[in-house]
Amino acid sequence: MIGVKKELKRVITVTVINQSGVLNRLTGLLMKRQFNIESITVGHTEQANFSKMTFVVHVEDERKIEQLVKQLSKQIDVLKVNDITDKSIVLRELALVKVISPPNLRLEMNSIVEPFRAQIIDTAKNVVTYQVVGHPDKIDAFIELIRPYGIKELTRTGATASVRETQKISNPQLSILK
């Protein structure tokens, strides 16, 4: 297919010193390099004064991701940068979905949302707010199933990720047995 660009989604974690302006500098770098940020989360780590940022970015060329990792690593207040996309990771997102929900449809709606382990966190006369946590694909599927009822409001946190302690070992000789 000539002329079609293949976009890759990459998950980058950046550990930083928790200082004013760090987020602005890093997102500015991504913007200047024309990376589309699909998702960004930032939060404190287990160590005081450090924060971890998780970026989900679209990349057209794998060489650009190496360049990005190097450029992020050079930034002031950046302690560690990892492209964790190809590792075994835990990736989660939270969504709050406010849905139009007349009382006569709630039983039907609950049967649809139950497999997603969505929790009802607020309810009113004709509106229910669900909290759903999981992989972004799970969140997308939940939203598509509930959309016909009428989504009044939708808020998503963005993805956060962590590398699993145990990594899958790739053994090419055994790949036909999978």
Side-chain angles (χ1 to χ4, degrees), residues 16 23 40-44 51-54:
V16 299
L23 177 61
I40 180 173
T41 59
V42 182
H44 296 287
S51 289
K52 183 174 276 185
M53 300 178 178
T54 304

Side-chain angles (χ1 to χ4, degrees), residues 14 23 25 32 36 40 52-53 57 72 93 98-99 101 104 110 118 132 134 136 147 164 171:
V14 184
L23 177 61
R25 282 194 298 278
K32 193 163 67 171
N36 181 33
I40 180 173
K52 183 174 276 185
M53 300 178 178
V57 296
L72 286 169
E93 182 175 359
K98 199 177 282 187
V99 183
S101 175
N104 63 323
N110 287 341
V132 61
R147 187 177 304 281
R164 292 185 185 273
N171 192 338

Side-chain angles (χ1 to χ4, degrees), residues 58-120:
H58 286 279
V59 182
E60 295 173 5
D61 182 343
E62 286 199 43
R63 292 178 300 225
K64 285 188 175 186
I65 201 66
E66 290 175 35
Q67 180 185 25
L68 176 64
V69 168
K70 287 178 186 174
Q71 289 171 342
L72 286 169
S73 297
K74 292 178 186 177
Q75 297 300 303
I76 296 171
D77 299 323
V78 170
L79 302 171
K80 190 175 181 182
V81 180
N82 287 311
D83 177 0
I84 63 171
T85 309
D86 298 327
K87 296 186 177 182
S88 182
I89 62 174
V90 176
L91 185 74
R92 293 291 183 267
E93 182 175 359
L94 176 136
L96 301 177
V97 187
K98 199 177 282 187
V99 183
I100 297 166
S101 175
N104 63 323
L105 292 179
R106 289 192 183 167
L107 194 58
E108 177 183 325
M109 290 174 65
N110 287 341
S111 68
I112 290 171
V113 302
E114 184 189 4
F116 293 91
R117 296 189 187 131
Q119 294 178 305
I120 296 173

Side-chain angles (χ1 to χ4, degrees), residues 22-39:
V22 175
L23 177 61
N24 193 35
R25 282 194 298 278
L26 297 186
T27 55
L29 174 69
L30 287 163
M31 185 180 71
K32 193 163 67 171
R33 302 286 183 246
Q34 298 181 335
F35 285 95
N36 181 33
I37 302 171
E38 180 178 298
S39 167

